[in-house]
Amino acid sequence: MKRSLRLLGTACTVLMSISTIAVAESVTFPMGAATPSETCGECHQVLFKEYALGVGSDNHSANHSIPATVSSAATAHATSKFTPLASGGDVEWCRSCHFAGSFNIPGKTEVGKQLPNVVNAGEISITCATCHLTPEGKVRSVRTSKNAPHASVVEPALQTSAVCAHCHVETTNTRIVGGQYQTYMEWREDFHKPGLGAQECQDCHMPRTLRKVAEDSDGAPVAVGRHLWTGGHSAQRLGGSLSLSIIQRDQDKAALSFSVTNIGAGHSVPTGTNARGVYLTVDVLDRQGVSRARKEWLFAPNFSARPDDKAFLEQDKKLSGYEGYAQTRADAQGAHEPPVRAGEERLLNWDPALAPGLYTVKARLRYTTDRFRTPVADDEKEMGSAALLITNK
Ligand code: HEC
Ligand code: HEC
Ligand code: HEC
Ligand code: HEC
Ligand code: HEC
């Protein structure tokens, strides 16, 4: 077990001695959720590389770039501490998800968050221990093996959306359609209940491959979920989520419809923080390729329970702190389309005024992780495109 991981230069020497003991259940984690992930990474090396460096993914994010000679970037879980500090905000509340302590998994259909275990959370991001250590200090797992040097306990909920619900939803059980941080509720109400699919969050976000649970163990390879959690920073993940087509409603007129269908996500697109946005941009090109008409729609979550709208800007002046800042910037961008819900087909109509002639309609879907950043975020990703030749008489 001496094959230590030095990619981050933080390999823990104490562990060298622990790992040579290898007596059943001799390894404990007194620091709880503040146990550095490197500690687990000494023995679970491949999982650690996925989590800390994104090895095996196409994750890309400026926020998430920890110095690494790897083409991908660290997962958002590994770097979650940088985000709230950079944005200011109510640190205690932000911590409950971004630096979370150990927690109990709520019942399968409830949302529920325990108060953050701030003492244990430490100044580190979401760690292996955040998700895997029970408040009693046992390692929650899919299976237990006699090879494990630590006490583990089978937790079926580890393979269900309930474990993700601890953080991927606002703390109330009330669904806010079109609101931000609704991912778990969107999955439960729009995807799971109507039977659009049987997938839990893990089935899409932690695809399993056959591998050893710990590299130096005698245990045989088993199906282990990959620890990459690709989302808005992955072109691969975004690519299959929305389908786009163009319809000419009247074959002699520029009466156009755009069909945007959520075929790939088990929740709304975009989902999560209201900074996420999807743009649908349409250009009508004449035969010389010159744009004669252009239109753009934005799909995004609202900041609060009401739609973002410039009409509220005056009223927003009464708000203070983080809420004032965040509600104002959302309203300043004006009204927009709500996110496309799981299984929804959104039809958008547009009848541009055009001179008679032959045109090519080009439509494009792009994703941004930060619709408020100016100039436009450099991490925009193409999600799909379509083209149609039309005649306008
Ligand atoms: C965001 C929560 C989360 C974090 C962080 C996390 N895991 Fe996991 N882990 C899971 C889930 C969920 C599964 C089960 C996946 C499945 O198969 O559905 C899992 C599965 C595993 C398994 C296989 C379990 C078994 O019984 O065979 C191991 C081992 C493991 N994780 C180790 C780690 C290590 C090491 C780290 C840190 C580098 C880590 N995990 C970080 C959520 C997490
Ligand atoms: C000293 C080495 C070592 C350390 C440190 C270690 N593990 Fe393990 N772990 C193992 C071995 C060995 C297994 C069993 C592998 C097998 O079944 O082949 C295991 C199994 C697991 C399992 C599956 C449950 C089981 O009983 O097989 C999970 C989940 C897990 N570890 C998570 C963690 C997490 C989270 C940490 C850090 C908090 C951690 N481990 C630290 C060596 C270690
Ligand atoms: C302890 C809280 C917590 C738990 C539990 C948790 N997450 Fe997260 N997750 C976060 C936070 C916080 C972020 C955003 C971090 C950032 O960007 O700063 C995040 C980010 C993500 C992302 C976005 C990645 C990106 O690049 O934008 C995905 C996908 C994701 N989580 C999936 C899951 C899944 C699936 C589960 C359940 C197996 C899960 N998470 C469990 C807190 C959590
Ligand atoms: C059927 C597959 C599927 C299921 C089930 C699913 N997702 Fe996703 N998820 C996607 C796709 C595709 C995307 C990319 C498009 C988007 O951002 O909505 C995505 C994106 C995300 C993001 C990225 C948001 C961001 O800001 O970067 C998060 C977080 C996330 N999912 C969490 C979850 C959680 C939590 C669950 C379970 C409650 C879940 N997902 C269930 C397919 C799925
Ligand atoms: C209920 C859990 C939760 C709380 C509380 C929370 N966040 Fe997050 N945050 C998340 C999750 C989950 C994501 C992942 C992306 C998503 O869902 O879109 C995220 C993403 C973010 C992002 C975007 C990071 C990126 O990758 O672009 C920022 C910025 C952010 N959070 C800031 C904050 C701040 C500031 C606070 C406190 C005022 C806070 N968050 C509180 C769960 C939470």
Side-chain angles (χ1 to χ4, degrees):
M1 288 223 187
K2 293 272 151 113
R3 191 158 35 95
S4 71
L5 232 197
R6 297 198 182 275
L7 279 165
L8 290 180
T10 43
C12 175
T13 44
V14 178
L15 270 155
M16 295 301 170
S17 51
I18 295 174
S19 55
T20 49
I21 307 170
V23 182
E25 308 194 356
S26 62
V27 176
T28 56
F29 307 103
M31 290 162 83
T35 305
S37 297
E38 285 77 4
T39 302
C40 315
E42 278 292 329
C43 304
H44 300 284
Q45 298 168 13
V46 171
L47 287 169
F48 177 74
K49 277 192 222 172
E50 290 178 344
Y51 157 89
L53 303 171
V55 172
S57 80
D58 68 337
N59 250 342
H60 287 286
S61 162
N63 274 352
H64 302 171
S65 54
I66 270 179
T69 43
V70 181
S71 61
S72 52
T75 63
H77 289 151
T79 60
S80 62
K81 79 162 177 186
F82 299 111
T83 302
L85 293 185
S87 332
D90 178 334
V91 173
E92 187 88 350
W93 183 65
C94 309
R95 254 172 205 280
S96 72
C97 296
H98 285 261
F99 296 55
S102 55
F103 56 89
N104 283 313
I105 303 177
K108 249 189 145 176
T109 55
E110 321 152 30
V111 276
K113 174 180 285 294
Q114 296 185 313
L115 285 176
N117 189 347
V118 175
V119 177
N120 271 348
E123 291 301 306
I124 38 184
S125 296
I126 295 161
T127 62
C128 311
T130 304
C131 291
H132 282 285
L133 269 200
T134 64
E136 296 74 41
K138 289 197 175 171
V139 173
R140 61 166 71 98
S141 51
V142 175
R143 52 184 82 80
T144 52
S145 110
K146 57 177 175 8
N147 297 323
H150 43 67
S152 29
V153 48
V154 170
E155 171 55 90
L158 195 62
Q159 290 190 307
T160 75
S161 300
V163 65
C164 317
H166 186 69
C167 307
H168 283 274
V169 72
E170 269 285 9
T171 47
T172 64
N173 212 353
T174 318
R175 169 81 193 275
I176 301 169
V177 174
Q180 63 168 347
Y181 294 131
Q182 296 288 305
T183 310
Y184 172 75
M185 296 291 243
E186 293 162 357
W187 172 82
R188 194 180 77 181
E189 305 302 315
D190 298 348
F191 183 79
H192 188 67
K193 276 193 185 156
L196 286 174
Q199 296 101 313
E200 305 283 328
C201 314
Q202 290 85 336
D203 298 325
C204 292
H205 287 285
M206 300 182 75
R208 299 174 188 96
T209 47
L210 281 182
R211 53 168 62 161
K212 295 187 86 153
V213 169
E215 283 64 34
D216 293 333
S217 159
D218 295 335
V222 288
V224 178
R226 296 169 76 82
H227 282 47
L228 293 164
W229 306 285
T230 52
H233 297 92
S234 156
Q236 201 175 47
R237 169 68 64 213
L238 293 166
S241 56
L242 296 178
S243 132
L244 167 67
S245 42
I246 308 170
I247 303 145
Q248 187 181 14
R249 298 194 311 279
D250 177 333
Q251 74 176 31
D252 295 328
K253 286 200 193 106
L256 304 172
S257 294
F258 303 90
S259 149
V260 180
T261 313
N262 182 343
I263 51 163
H267 41 67
S268 302
V269 181
T271 189
T273 160
N274 73 324
R276 304 295 193 241
V278 171
Y279 297 98
L280 168 63
T281 314
V282 180
D283 273 299
V284 181
L285 308 173
D286 65 15
R287 297 183 76 180
Q288 281 70 46
V290 177
S291 179
R292 294 296 172 189
R294 177 169 234 255
K295 188 159 170 73
E296 188 165 85
W297 290 266
L298 166 67
F299 304 82
N302 294 315
F303 173 71
S304 59
R306 61 150 175 88
D308 300 336
D309 201 310
K310 285 189 171 135
F312 294 108
L313 281 171
E314 199 52 40
Q315 187 176 314
D316 291 345
K317 289 182 181 155
K318 292 187 206 108
L319 302 171
S320 60
Y322 181 75
E323 197 194 1
Y325 155 79
Q327 181 71 72
T328 305
R329 71 172 187 172
D331 287 331
Q333 267 197 2
H336 51 75
E337 285 286 317
V340 186
R341 289 160 75 163
E344 180 189 353
E345 175 180 11
R346 183 80 51 87
L347 266 183
L348 302 145
N349 295 333
W350 183 39
D351 300 354
L354 294 169
L358 201 64
Y359 297 90
T360 306
V361 182
K362 282 196 169 171
R364 203 156 75 92
L365 283 169
R366 281 140 55 222
Y367 186 96
T368 176
T369 56
D370 192 350
R371 64 183 170 107
F372 302 113
R373 199 185 306 162
T374 43
V376 182
D378 53 9
D379 66 347
E380 280 195 5
K381 291 185 175 65
E382 189 88 29
M383 297 175 89
S385 60
L388 182 71
L389 206 62
I390 61 159
T391 345
N392 186 44
K393 285 191 179 157

